[in-house]
Amino acid sequence: MSRPSESHAGLPEPPQRRVGPPALPAQNRGPAPACLSARSLGLDRFNTAPTADAEAALLGCCGSTRWAQRLAAHRPYPDVDALLAAADEAGYDMAPADLAEALATEVSPGLHHAAPHSAHLALSAGHAAYESRFGHVFVICLDAFRPAEHPDQVLAGIRARLGHDPDEERVVTADEMRRLARGRIIELVTGAGSARSGREALGGC
C-alpha cells in the first residue's frame, strides 16, 4: 500500500507494508476497571450496578469524570442504541477541560514488539512530533480499516493532522474520542471483543 509522500519536520516516511499478522494493537487506556468485567457486563447489569461501579466502568471508555457521571446518572437505558446516543450527546457537550482530562488517560497506539525496528522508529518519531505540537497523545479510531492497514493509517493520520492548527485538531481529536468511546461502550455492555479491533487510544473505537 502506498501513502502520500509529503512529510512534516523530520517525521519519517511510513515503513513498507508487511506481509503477516497485524502489527498494531488497539489503542488502549491501560487495564480495564476491575469492578465490572467487559466480557460479563450486559446492559441490564450496567443499568443496575452501583453508581460508583458504573462510573468506574465508563471511565474505562472515556476518561472524563463529568462524562462518566452524566451517563451513569441517566440510567437505565432501554437499549444499547439509547446508551450510545447519550454517550455521543455527552461527548459533544464536553468542555475543553473534560477533553484534556480524557486525553490524559489515553495511551498512544503502538506496534507489536515483533514489528521491524524501522517501523518502531517511524511511529515513535510521529508520536513525538504530534505530542510536541499539540501537547497530548494522538488518538484515532480505525474501525473502518482492516487490521493490516492500521500501521499505515496511523502514520498517515499523524502526518496529515500535524498540518492542523490547534483549534482544528481539537475538533478532530474530540470526534475521534467520541468514536473510541462508542466502541468501548459496545464492548462493555455486549462483550463484543471485536469492537476493539479497529482502534486505538491502536489505541482507537
Side-chain angles (χ1 to χ4, degrees), residues 14 21 25 34 37 56 59-60 66 86 111 113 115 120 122 140 142 146 155 163 172-173 202 205:
S37 167
L59 284 170
R66 194 167 72 95
L111 292 169
H113 65 84
H120 284 284
I140 187 170
L142 296 174
R146 299 189 306 272
L155 283 168
V172 174
T173 297
L202 275 166
C205 40

Side-chain angles (χ1 to χ4, degrees), residues 92-113:
Y92 282 113
D93 289 343
M94 285 172 62
D98 299 322
L99 179 60
E101 181 187 17
L103 286 169
T105 68
E106 292 291 327
V107 177
S108 299
L111 292 169
H112 188 276
H113 65 84

Side-chain angles (χ1 to χ4, degrees), residues 18 24 37 50 55 70-71 87-88 112 124 127 131 134 145 165 167 190 203:
R18 296 169 298 281
L24 190 62
S37 167
E55 289 178 2
R70 175 171 170 174
L71 287 184
D88 282 345
H112 188 276
S124 294
H127 283 307
E131 292 177 25
F134 298 112
F145 300 95
D165 62 47
D167 288 339
T190 68

